[in-house]
Amino acid sequence: MFDAIIFDCDGVLVDSEIVGLEDTAAFMRSKGFAWQAVDLVQLFTGLRDDVFAARLAKEYALILGRPPTEDEATELFATMIENRRRNRHMLQAVPGTKEMVIALEALPVARAVASSTRAQYLEDKLSRFDLLQHFAPHAYSAELVAAGKPAPDIFLYTAAKIGIAPAKCLVIEDSANGVRAGVSAGMTVWGFTGGGHCFDGHGDRLSEAGAARIVEDHGTLADQMAEALAG
Ligand SMILES: [Mg+2]
């Protein structure tokens, strides 16, 4: 059924999307945006920095009637990075990730990571939780491709690197933007809701974006991958 499984990193393997999220939502409220953490998740998760900036400018225009000034955009980026940095001691792997990855190694399937994160951060995050060795050298940053998610580029690039046709790839994604990217690449996508940022209704939004099924935790994911490959 599948010859490869391609994982997103943030919010799937590493529970990074929740880190600093409340602080950033509070900052945006101070700027006149009636946003909660859940709104930030819906609008911005899974995006490369440039795609994020473009979407933020669009939201600014909708809500404040004008795009952000360069200083405002810079301040927001700096604040988000600082919020993550200040809370980085809270960063953990998504529960059950290591066990799932080890279970996956027993299956006849190629493994890779395709992430919106910059290459250096991607390697740091995977190494920190002893995950990189399970994927190397197939852990790829969207820095390597023309367009970030929700464009399909990083998934197509990854499929080419591992030498598997897109139609034979299964993608595991936690963000609607990432789900759209995988579907656009012609891959089957399962939505994953085991991350700390997956609030009520998150699975429904991944289904709406095109996820073929929703998986709530890594134990279930390991079982369902084994079943899919056996069937
Ligand atoms: Mg993600």
Side-chain angles (χ1 to χ4, degrees):
M1 191 177 183
F2 303 114
D3 291 334
I5 303 186
I6 304 175
F7 292 87
D8 176 46
C9 175
D10 292 278
V12 173
L13 302 175
V14 177
D15 211 355
S16 49
E17 297 292 6
I18 190 67
V19 175
L21 190 66
E22 291 291 351
D23 292 352
T24 297
F27 173 78
M28 290 309 291
R29 286 195 294 276
S30 80
K31 297 292 178 186
F33 292 75
W35 284 349
Q36 305 297 324
V38 64
D39 300 301
L40 294 180
V41 169
Q42 283 180 35
L43 288 166
F44 300 118
T45 51
L47 299 178
R48 201 170 69 176
D49 288 354
D50 59 331
V51 186
F52 172 93
R55 187 159 298 182
L56 179 70
K58 198 175 136 199
E59 292 299 320
Y60 246 88
L62 281 173
I63 292 166
L64 301 184
R66 59 170 178 81
T69 65
E70 208 174 308
D71 284 352
E72 285 171 333
T74 303
E75 184 192 18
L76 175 64
F77 263 108
T79 302
M80 284 182 57
I81 289 166
E82 171 55 22
N83 287 342
R84 286 179 186 245
R85 197 198 61 77
R86 196 176 55 250
N87 291 289
R88 69 187 183 281
H89 59 279
M90 294 171 59
L91 184 63
Q92 298 180 340
V94 173
T97 294
K98 184 74 177 177
E99 292 80 358
M100 178 278 297
V101 169
I102 289 170
L104 184 58
E105 283 185 333
L107 301 175
V109 66
R111 301 175 300 276
V113 176
S115 172
S116 294
T117 296
R118 290 180 199 177
Q120 182 204 328
Y121 296 149
L122 176 60
E123 211 159 284
D124 286 352
K125 279 186 261 196
L126 293 174
S127 299
R128 181 163 168 176
F129 299 105
D130 196 30
L131 298 169
L132 185 61
Q133 56 161 320
H134 298 285
F135 294 102
H138 302 304
Y140 299 111
S141 161
E143 253 177 7
L144 296 161
V145 297
K149 300 173 188 178
D153 301 30
I154 185 58
F155 286 121
L156 294 173
Y157 178 91
T158 300
K161 280 290 189 180
I162 56 181
I164 307 285
K168 302 293 275 180
C169 294
L170 170 64
V171 168
I172 311 298
E173 261 288 354
D174 70 292
S175 74
N177 295 308
V179 170
R180 288 188 194 99
V183 170
S184 296
M187 300 177 179
T188 300
V189 184
W190 290 358
F192 181 79
T193 58
H197 65 298
C198 297
F199 302 110
D200 285 352
H202 193 88
D204 293 339
R205 278 181 280 278
L206 299 185
S207 295
E208 285 160 20
R213 73 172 74 169
I214 303 300
V215 183
E216 293 180 359
D217 60 74
H218 277 311
T220 307
L221 180 60
D223 291 345
Q224 296 199 0
M225 287 188 301
E227 265 172 46
L229 287 161

